[in-house]
């Protein structure tokens, strides 16, 4: 029997799903599994039985929490895709201000009417256990396909532990700090081949903080260039949720 | 009273429901409920630096991320008084058109076409009409690759920054893309013919149609706001005075009106408002299937998207050749932040997108505003649902719902944009 895959999405911009539809082999890979639910592409309804759940987006409502618990109880394998799902991503940026105030700023007096069940944004693994993470904003379609194949084959996740600086050096880029510009590659998880840096743009940290990151050394390095504050501010973009968990001395 | 409802309308971007209350054969209420959770972007940009604003707001939407990035960049350049090079302007146009090929290609074939041939999704079509699916994927891929060529990747461009681009395509790449784009004009024209051959419900909207216009170009990046009904032009900086946003209780998206009235934006508004600026080839194929202004049937939005595909493919080919054969640089120009307010607007695939950014003297955002195309379209969509529904009330339940969904999909709503 072919494994049954469902594709769900929580609070996100759908960008990772769009990236995945940009992956030409997907239609061919369809022969190796049944894609039984994907709201973006078909009007079929969510089935009650499935093996693998692929989930995009951050958890931002009570309804999301309930859905995630239900899915975890059903699915043998949970794959989360994209920065929103893996680190809380951009949706977690809302945590830097007062969430209520933010809602008021956008909706004014009517905030209560529209923001039903809103909870502070969080990554999916803060709610349920997950088996695979596909990092990035957006995900790289090739990386998604190789992780999906690992899942289909019953293998386990192969996590990148090292930081972006290692790929950046292999790609022979000159370091942004030498030009007086901040780059988050110092602590960001490798795996994208230093994609942005190769194109002249400093890393903004979309893959989250690497397991082997040395935050203290990174801060000291940035401080040497008088960019420590910029470095910490930059980290908030994709990693506000991590900051919320570790109070004041933020990321250390 | 019976309530007919559709939970999670499929084949649209984001989560939305439709509710219809019918009492003894009379429709009492019909709404498009946007249940997509708000991520409150306008509050998230406050306190961030100028270079972070486009990075953050491009995450409003994965389909038109190029538009959000460029619009935010334009707002900041407007605030700081930055003049960019001609080359930068042309590359931005290519980047935005990349999202047209991508979005229109996907929307027409994968999301909308199944409605017209009575199928739940594009997957069965892959077996019965493989050439159609192949054409769809080719157009979509060309759009992705165009965005990748200019922006570094298909979703969330990484090279587009305030003042210019951090890296540029080579001459060889531009020449080979020019050729591929020229070849795609044929696929695009076939798309117009295909959608022109479908049986399209008869219906006329009462909504006005708004889009950017320019005297010397099919306005995509910058321009003035034009009203089809009232014929006025207004500068982009007037958009906040012109448009009223209101919170409605059934939706996480605000509705937008002009003078208290709904209006449409998107391909149909652009084709109507900028008909004379379309390339002759696009006008010819359009006329062949009987399309010419003024078009008031919202279902024609799909055909207009196809007409734009023809125009975009040919125009982008010309842009590629021009860029390949001219010198100049798109490297970011120098600038200084200042305390100011800036406005930006582009035409996203689904309609006009507006951004405002207010800065303090250090270039830190003190306030932000975004009005997306779908938010502008929602009031008009609901008005059309209400006016169109009675004419199909005699249909079987499933058929009725399908037709309403078809109208929703004709508008090509993007719900993550709508709530943002
Ligand atoms: S800080 Fe950034 S630019 Fe410098 S070596 Fe690390 S990844 Fe490369
Ligand atoms: S270089 Fe940094 S920001 Fe760019 S894709 Fe890689 S992790 Fe993300």
């Amino acid at each position: 029997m072919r494994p049954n895959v469902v594709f769900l999405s929580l609070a996100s911009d759908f960008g990772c799903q769009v990236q995945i539809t940009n992956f030409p082999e997907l239609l061919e890979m369809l022969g190796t599994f049944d894609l039984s639910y994907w709201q973006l592409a078909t009007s079929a309804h969510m089935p009650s039985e499935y093996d693998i759940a692929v989930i995009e987006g951050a958890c931002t409502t009570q309804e999301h929490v309930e859905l995630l618990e239900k899915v975890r109880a059903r699915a043998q394998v949970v794959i989360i895709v994209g920065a929103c799902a893996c680190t809380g991503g951009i949706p977690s940026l809302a945590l830097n201000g007062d969430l209520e105030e933010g809602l008021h700023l956008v909706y004014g007096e009517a905030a209560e009417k529209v923001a039903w069940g809103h909870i502070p944004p969080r990554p999916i693994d803060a709610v349920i256990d997950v088996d695979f993470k596909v990092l990035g904003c957006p995900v790289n379609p090739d990386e998604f396909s190789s992780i999906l194949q690992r899942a289909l084959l019953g293998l386990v996740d192969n996590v990148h532990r090292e930081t972006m600086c290692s790929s950046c050096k292999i790609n022979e880029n000159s370091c942004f700090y030498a030009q007086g510009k901040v780059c988050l590659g110092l602590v960001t998880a490798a795996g994208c081949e230093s994609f942005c840096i190769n194109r002249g743009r400093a890393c903004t940290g979309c893959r989250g903080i690497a397991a082997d990151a040395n935050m203290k050394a990174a801060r000291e390095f940035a401080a040497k260039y008088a960019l420590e504050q910029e470095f910490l501010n930059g980290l908030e973009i994709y990693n506000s949720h991590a900051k919320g968990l570790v109070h004041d001395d933020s990321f250390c | 009273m019976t309530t007919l409802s559709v939970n999670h309308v499929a084949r649209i971007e984001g989560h939305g429901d439709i509710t219809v209350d019918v009492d003894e054969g009379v429709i009492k209420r019909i709404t498009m409920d946007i249940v997509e959770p708000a991520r409150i972007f306008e509050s998230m940009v406050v306190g961030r630096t100028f270079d972070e604003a486009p990075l953050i707001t491009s995450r409003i939407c994965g389909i038109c991320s190029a538009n959000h990035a460029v619009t935010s960049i334009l707002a900041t350049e407007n605030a700081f008084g930055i003049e960019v090079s001609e080359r930068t302007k042309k590359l931005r146009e290519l980047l935005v058109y990349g999202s047209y090929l991508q979005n229109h290609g996907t929307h027409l074939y994968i999301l909308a076409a199944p409605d017209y041939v009575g199928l739940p999704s594009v997957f069965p079509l892959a077996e019965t009409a493989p050439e159609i699916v192949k054409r769809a994927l080719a157009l979509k891929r060309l759009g992705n690759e165009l965005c990748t060529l200019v922006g570094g990747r298909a979703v969330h461009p990484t090279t587009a920054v305030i003042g210019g681009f951090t890296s540029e395509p080579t001459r060889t790449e531009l020449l080979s893309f020019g050729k591929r784009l020229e070849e795609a004009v044929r696929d695009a024209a076939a798309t117009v013919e295909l959608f022109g051959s479908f049986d399209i419900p008869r219906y006329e909207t009462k909504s006005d149609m708004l889009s950017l216009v320019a005297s010397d170009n099919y306005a995509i990046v910058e321009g003035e706001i034009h009203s089809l009904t009232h014929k006025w032009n207004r500068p982009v900086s007037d958009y906040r005075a012109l448009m009223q946003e209101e919170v409605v209780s059934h939706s996480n998206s605000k509705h937008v009106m002009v003078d208290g009235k709904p209006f449409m934006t998107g391909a149909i508004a652009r084709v109507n408002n900028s008909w004379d600026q379309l390339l002759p080839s696009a006008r010819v194929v359009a006329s062949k299937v009987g399309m010419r202004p003024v078009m008031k049937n919202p279902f024609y939005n799909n055909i207009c998207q196809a007409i734009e595909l023809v125009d975009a493919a040919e125009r982008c080919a010309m842009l590629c050749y021009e860029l390949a054969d001219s010198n100049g640089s798109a490297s970011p120009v120098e600038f200084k932040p200042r305390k100011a307010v800036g406005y930006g607007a582009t035409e996203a695939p689904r309609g006009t997108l507006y951004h405002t950014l207010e800065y303090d003297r250090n270039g830190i955002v003190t306030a932000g505003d975004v009005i997306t195309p779908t938010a502008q379209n929602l009031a008009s969509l609901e008005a059309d649902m209400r006016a169109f529904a009675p004419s199909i009330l005699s249909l079987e339940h499933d058929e009725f719902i399908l037709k309403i969904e078809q109208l929703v999909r004709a508008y090509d709503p993007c719900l993550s944009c709508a709530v943002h």
Side-chain angles (χ1 to χ4, degrees), chain B residues 323-345:
Chain B
L323 283 162
D325 288 331
S326 59
N327 300 321
S329 159
S331 291
V333 297
E334 297 272 326
F335 63 87
K336 270 213 183 64
R338 65 183 184 200
K339 184 174 167 16
V341 188
Y343 304 92

Side-chain angles (χ1 to χ4, degrees), chain A residues 9 12-14 19 21-22 24 39-40 42-43 90 93-94 106-107 114 118 137 195-196 199 201 233 236 238, chain B residues 9-11 13-15 38-39 48 59-60 62 111 120-121 140-141 144 152 154-156 158 166 251-252 254:
Chain A
S9 132
S12 78
D13 69 347
F14 273 59
Q19 273 291 85
T21 64
N22 290 346
Q39 177 259 350
L40 183 67
T42 155
S43 39
I90 299 267
L93 197 49
V106 174
Y107 291 110
V114 286
H118 213 290
C137 180
F195 187 89
C196 299
R199 288 163 184 77
R201 175 101 184 239
N233 289 349
E236 290 179 350
Y238 291 103
Chain B
V9 180
R11 284 186 280 118
E13 204 247 12
H15 306 288
R39 289 161 297 156
R48 309 307 310 184
R59 268 67 187 182
I60 287 175
L111 311 187
S121 80
K140 179 174 177 313
R141 182 169 313 163
N144 294 335
V155 176
H156 301 315
T158 189
T166 61
S251 167
N252 283 355
K254 291 179 228 181

Side-chain angles (χ1 to χ4, degrees), chain B residues 297-311:
Chain B
N297 184 341
F299 288 96
Y300 287 169
N301 190 43
N302 289 153
I303 301 179
C304 291
Q305 290 177 317
I307 296 168
E308 285 195 329
L309 280 177
V310 179
D311 187 74

Side-chain angles (χ1 to χ4, degrees), chain A residues 64-140:
Chain A
H64 289 160
V65 174
E66 284 151 28
L67 177 69
L68 287 173
E69 283 165 354
K70 211 171 82 193
V71 169
R72 182 68 271 185
R74 286 275 150 79
Q76 282 171 39
V77 180
V78 172
I79 305 176
I80 61 174
V81 294
C84 301
C86 296
T87 69
I90 299 267
S92 281
L93 197 49
L95 292 172
N96 286 321
D98 180 317
L99 205 58
E100 291 299 311
E101 246 172 57
L103 283 162
H104 271 269
L105 189 79
V106 174
Y107 291 110
E109 292 300 300
E112 291 79 19
K113 268 204 279 184
V114 286
W116 339 284
H118 213 290
I119 57 169
R122 59 201 67 179
I124 291 174
D125 67 348
V127 184
I128 56 166
D129 290 336
V130 306
D131 304 291
F132 293 88
K133 288 186 188 177
V134 193
L135 303 173
C137 180
V139 294
N140 173 339

Side-chain angles (χ1 to χ4, degrees), chain A residues 164-165 168-169 175-177 183 185-186 197:
Chain A
M164 197 60 61
C165 290
C168 179
K169 297 214 167 80
C175 184
F176 280 105
Y177 283 90
C183 174
L186 296 175
I197 304 150

